[in-house]
């Protein structure tokens, strides 16, 4: 994962976000397998680094899997993701997919939920089809 850590360390500040997008077909299947707890299903991407310049290199395509689930019971649900065998995001935080949100809640609140409460490990990890991407 050294390249991803280098990308994070070298990134200049900007408005883009880099990471990995979920495969749209797999997203549909995952939402059936793990029904969202809150009204707005998100299940869109895994962030490597936010607020980077538009020319920041994309990460590599790496093995990924969902390993745990967490929610605050008040409107934020997230799936913990391992990328290349680790859930620790370079620069701090936990790799995750914001799964669902309640009214008035924001996706970036998933970071706080994951840092403040225990996760519920899945009985069996679920492989994810992710593609490197840039998004806002």
């Amino acid at each position: 994962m050294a390249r991803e850590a280098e990308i994070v360390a070298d990134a200049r500040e900007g408005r883009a976000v880099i990471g990995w997008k979920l495969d749209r077909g797999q997203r549909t299947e995952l939402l059936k397998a793990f029904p969202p707890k809150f009204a707005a299903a998100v299940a869109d991407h895994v962030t490597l680094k936010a607020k980077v310049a538009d020319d920041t290199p994309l990460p590599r395509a790496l093995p990924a899997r969902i390993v745990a689930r967490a929610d605050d019971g008040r409107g934020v649900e997230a799936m913990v993701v391992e990328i290349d065998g680790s859930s620790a995001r370079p620069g701090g935080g936990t790799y995750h997919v914001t799964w669902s949100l309640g009214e008035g809640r924001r996706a970036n609140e998933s970071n706080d939920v994951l840092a403040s409460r225990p996760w519920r490990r899945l009985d069996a990890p679920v492989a994810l089809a992710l593609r490197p991407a840039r998004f806002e």
Side-chain angles (χ1 to χ4, degrees):
M1 181 87 75
R3 181 173 186 270
E4 283 64 35
E6 289 174 11
I7 290 171
V8 169
D10 294 342
R12 292 178 295 116
E13 191 167 326
R15 294 182 21 200
V17 178
I18 57 170
W20 301 267
K21 285 277 203 173
L22 271 69
D23 174 82
R24 293 291 101 185
Q26 186 184 35
R27 176 186 186 270
T28 300
E29 294 302 314
L30 288 169
L31 288 169
K32 288 178 188 173
F34 302 100
K37 183 171 183 178
F38 303 107
V42 180
D44 181 65
H45 67 273
V46 177
T47 298
L48 172 60
K49 177 79 173 148
K51 299 180 183 176
V52 298
D54 288 341
D55 62 352
T56 301
L58 294 179
R60 298 172 291 164
L62 294 166
R65 60 192 197 155
I66 297 173
V67 296
R69 193 174 194 169
D71 76 75
D72 65 359
R74 297 176 298 132
V76 177
E77 177 184 28
M79 297 291 195
V80 177
V81 174
E82 285 184 352
I83 302 283
D84 202 25
S86 176
S87 62
R89 194 166 54 195
T94 302
Y95 284 126
H96 66 276
V97 176
T98 299
W99 206 247
S100 69
L101 296 170
E103 187 174 338
R105 303 302 297 271
R106 297 174 43 97
N108 66 346
E109 293 178 72
S110 292
N111 294 298
D112 297 331
V113 169
L114 294 169
S116 67
R117 59 188 17 94
W119 314 333
R120 291 181 310 282
R121 287 254 171 219
L122 301 183
D123 292 336
V126 177
L128 278 179
L130 299 176
R131 66 173 172 77
R134 182 179 330 278
F135 37 95
E136 281 192 39

